[in-house]
Amino acid sequence: MTSRVNTSFTLIPNQKYRRSSRRSSYFSNTFDSDSQPLSALGNFKALPLEIFQIILKYLSVKDISMLSMVSKTVSQHIINYISTSSGSKRLLLQDFHDLELPDREDTAILEHYRSLGLLFKRCTLLLPTKERLKYIHKILADVSCFKFNGCAAPLQCVGLLCYGIFLQTLTAGWDELECHRVYNFLCELTHLSRKMQTVVCSKPGSARKLELRIRLFCRNVLLDHWTHRSDSAFWLTRILKPWPMVNQARLLYIIFGPISPQDVVPREWLLENNARLLILSGNNICFTFMASKAVNGRTIELARLIVFLALVSEKELYCMDWAVKMMQKVCKVFSTPVERNNFLQSVANAFACAILEMLQSVMSGDGDDDDRSFMNLFHLVQAQASFHKEVLYLTMNVLPS
């Protein structure tokens, strides 16, 4: 008969099986009295929200940016802090007119907005792109110098530069679809497409202030801050793609063309610059441009352009026979022998007029410009000689030795 075992006694484990005090301490720190996991706020849980926001005031923007990655809860508290009047005042610096326009992007306020872009990038990481943009716009909406027409003195303001650096940091690493959404969002916000349509469909210079605003917005916000050309090319493509080629050319001129020192508005290029751009654009574009002038009866303009193609070829040591062959190709666009003869006569006259203009500039004695004027005259005379030499080779069917 098997005896019953008394199970009423309490088994006391040997000392070596007891849990260490260290292990007990770990569990007591990891769980609260209700055995719930430690709050996502960590040690900040014990602080009132007001104290947490006071602590944020003493942290740099970079440190707040790092803190925002601790947890979703901390990130949300930081977002709430940014939305407060004190947080907004501290983070959205607006002394855009108190310093010289920077030659490099290393001034304190530009670095501040670069760090701020990283902070917003991290705080809004879990939001869809559309919601991120709406939130960021809501925060930045009160900064007037970030708006298309917000600043009364745009040439003395770095606001758009700061906005551009902020956006560059925010969108760095985003895929093309997301960046395309950013561009569309900016267009809707600023009515950029409608403003561009106004300037490309109006006479050059008739909307000078709008041309300047478009130039500053496109350059400072979208184009000038990228390290890699492929990034700049992406944004430039977004700007140009909706427009036909003639309007694309106009926009390129407005955005990148030389500016007047009086009103920083793009002014007409010197013919030498036009010729240089055409040469660099390649044979097809150069011929298409010149043939268009021939078809439209703009013979005198075309003749002067031939002169400056020859001048640039002389200065840059390009083969002069290229300029002669381009003239020969354009000459065939004219439909009658009379038109061709008039064109050739215009080219000869254009050489003579250009030399006289430069000679007059040399003789007028403009001080520091004397040497430059003389060298221009020297190169033009040399260009005329080389150009006519190639014409003689061509007409006499003689190959140069």
Side-chain angles (χ1 to χ4, degrees), residues 60-304:
S60 69
V61 178
K62 288 184 178 179
D63 290 338
I64 297 175
S65 175
M66 292 292 293
L67 184 63
S68 70
M69 296 190 294
V70 169
S71 71
K72 183 178 178 180
T73 306
V74 171
S75 179
Q76 186 59 52
H77 280 310
I78 291 175
I79 288 176
N80 294 338
Y81 166 71
I82 295 172
S83 302
T84 64
S85 58
S86 60
S88 176
K89 184 177 180 180
R90 183 261 172 112
L91 294 176
L92 300 181
L93 302 182
Q94 298 191 41
D95 49 342
F96 303 124
H97 302 84
D98 296 342
L99 66 167
E100 297 283 336
L101 284 176
D103 292 327
R104 298 182 302 165
E105 296 180 357
D106 57 0
T107 63
I109 194 166
L110 297 181
E111 282 302 317
H112 173 82
Y113 275 97
R114 184 175 280 111
S115 299
L116 194 64
L118 186 59
L119 170 59
F120 275 71
K121 187 187 191 81
R122 289 170 172 171
C123 280
T124 62
L125 185 63
L126 299 178
L127 295 176
T129 301
K130 189 175 181 180
E131 297 303 317
R132 295 176 94 171
L133 296 174
K134 285 183 178 179
Y135 166 74
I136 291 168
H137 169 61
K138 180 181 178 182
I139 298 298
L140 302 183
D142 292 332
V143 184
S144 60
C145 291
F146 286 175
K147 299 176 182 178
F148 187 90
N149 288 317
C151 182
L155 295 178
Q156 289 77 45
C157 179
V158 295
L160 289 180
L161 280 172
C162 292
Y163 188 39
I165 287 176
F166 174 89
L167 283 177
Q168 179 213 16
T169 308
L170 176 73
T171 60
W174 289 15
D175 61 38
E176 288 196 1
L177 180 60
E178 290 176 312
C179 291
H180 193 72
R181 290 193 180 112
V182 173
Y183 181 74
N184 289 339
F185 181 82
L186 290 174
C187 283
E188 292 175 9
L189 196 64
T190 61
H191 305 291
L192 184 61
S193 298
R194 191 178 67 192
K195 292 177 169 67
M196 287 181 173
Q197 185 174 19
T198 299
V199 297
V200 299
C201 295
S202 60
K203 185 178 179 180
S206 62
R208 285 178 173 269
K209 290 184 179 179
L210 185 54
E211 288 183 3
L212 176 61
R213 295 282 185 177
I214 289 174
R215 178 190 180 94
L216 292 176
F217 187 85
C218 290
R219 291 283 295 270
N220 293 338
V221 176
L222 299 175
L223 298 172
D224 282 358
H225 307 296
W226 297 101
T227 303
H228 302 292
R229 288 187 178 182
S230 58
D231 293 317
S232 297
F234 170 82
W235 294 102
L236 184 59
T237 302
R238 301 282 77 74
I239 294 170
L240 298 179
K241 191 174 182 180
W243 305 99
M245 184 177 291
V246 64
N247 290 337
Q248 289 181 6
R250 178 77 182 282
L251 285 173
L252 284 173
Y253 187 79
I254 289 171
I255 295 170
F256 296 107
I259 54 177
S260 167
Q262 285 76 32
D263 49 14
V264 197
V265 174
R267 58 181 175 179
E268 186 178 358
W269 277 22
L270 298 173
L271 266 177
E272 182 177 336
N273 291 333
N274 283 335
R276 197 178 300 274
L277 178 60
L278 282 174
I279 290 173
L280 295 175
S281 297
N283 290 350
N284 292 337
I285 292 178
C286 184
F287 172 73
T288 302
F289 180 81
M290 297 174 73
S292 175
K293 287 186 179 294
V295 169
N296 291 306
R298 301 166 71 175
T299 306
I300 296 177
E301 290 181 30
L302 184 56
R304 284 183 60 81

